[in-house]
Amino acid sequence: MEPQDLTKVVLLACGSFNPITNMHLRMFELARDYLEDTGQYIVVRGIISAVGDGYKKKGLIEACHRVDMARLATDTSDWIKVDAWESQQPEWVETAKVMRHHYKELMTAEQNNDYVDTAKKRRIEATKHAFEDPSSYHTRRDNGPQLKLLCGADVLESFGVPNLWKHEDIAEIVGRYGLVCITRNGCDAHKFIHQSEVLWKHHKNIHVVREWVTNEISATHVRRALCRGQTVRYLLPDPVVSYIREHGLYSAESEQKNADVVLAPLQRHTGPSSS
Amino acid sequence: MSARIPLVLLACGSFNPITNQHMRLFELARDHLHQTGQFQVVGGIVSPVSDGYGKQGLVLAKHRIAMARLALQSSDWVSVDDWESQQPDWTETVVTMRYHYGRILKQYQEGTGKDSGPTTNPHHLTSSSPRLKLLCGADFLDTFKVPGLWLDDHVEEVAGRFGLVCVSRGGLEPELAVHESETLSRHWRNIFLVREWVRNETSATEVRRALRRGLSVKYLLPDSVIKYIHQYNLYTGDSELKNKDVLLRPLTKQTEMPVKTLDD
């Protein structure tokens, strides 16, 4: 396939990044390798979008630190960038909304780049308008880059947690955009997809990437080690380790933050206004 | 409070190539030993094996040394030593340990010779010569079981005279390996088992596999090492075939001319 025939993909990872670890960064690399190996895609950008403080997760430290650490971690990457929009919103933002925001930005950028090619510009406009209409998320996007949510199996399986996700949001994420799910256990992921009506409907849009090198560098483990004064060197990039030390982040105290607070999505979706 | 025993950790291995996991072994071991309250880890040595080892897929020692040096540039206590890699033939681990122990002892003796009395460094808690311990992963303990790979006397010397610090990960069970060996069991007090709770199976084998297939290894090794690998095009389908039909050197050497034990 000629390079221009390849579908451009942008990978978006949403999460706490509390803190960012080598595992998060590896996910991007694995996803890119996988997609490009299919011969259909070219991955042009990776975006790290740290969740805002309004998420109210236990132990979540200030967004400004999490964004700064992510920036330090991606310094040596020529394709993975950090976007602070989500982290700066005063209230928690649903993932589907974050995706809409980034997709819009992508379309606008494409438009600005192709002012010469009016035919392409018209196609992109049409896509944008179709996109504005929430009921048309099955519309194919022909030439613009595709935005895909990059995540671990834990996020995929969290679709099953009551009140954590709105049904229509899940449908939009897998229907309009697509998912790239990095997992050690391919069987479980496929089973989960098989057992869910909405996921099965869009299973062609869900890429399950096997992680052969088991890498459980979870941020939870990292925080635990830090609280106990144990080393985290080589689990995170060196500049992030230094940053954590300089700012004295992650202690028994920081782990207690939001201990008695309900997670924002659960607060929002169990209210009478939720569908 | 009694003074802590100063310790140097020596890691022998292929380092083909060195990975973040190798470097983590040192950090985890140091933390663990410090937490026992008995030790002060004063240095770490990475000693890549010589080309004479004959292991399949082993790239030239000069490259493995260069990569380890790049990786450890940012470490202020672990360094690379090329003595073992420079020896004409494969060197038994116990011989490498004796060499480094002698060197460390000599350094200490020359250092304290300058002082006529108690050390003037107020932070110097240690007063004795540093001990040397072998740092390894749990898979290393299992090698003691492989017929012909180790001489009993050598296992005795490594575990008894020096000591082992073994960092485990994933599903491997170091306690079992110790239990199943008479020699190791006898010296259980000298064997420190460190648990890495974060399962991280970044092995050099996987890294080489990924490189052969043109896949990314970023964040598994330092960028400087990745750059070096690409610069010299190490780790290809061909490089993995090197030594394919060759017997591992320890299996031939130790039957030909076993190294004398210290008692001889």
Side-chain angles (χ1 to χ4, degrees), chain A residues 165-182:
Chain A
W165 297 84
K166 285 194 284 198
H167 291 305
E168 56 265 35
D169 280 3
I170 298 175
E172 185 180 342
I173 291 168
V174 296
R176 174 178 286 173
Y177 305 110
L179 213 65
V180 182
C181 174
I182 314 291

Side-chain angles (χ1 to χ4, degrees), chain A residues 29 33 76 214 216 231 233, chain B residues 24 31 199 201 216 218:
Chain A
E29 298 286 311
D33 274 350
T76 61
T214 304
E216 284 173 19
T231 176
R233 195 146 192 222
Chain B
R24 220 167 136 61
D31 263 9
R199 250 182 82 187
E201 288 162 22
S216 164
K218 201 171 164 127

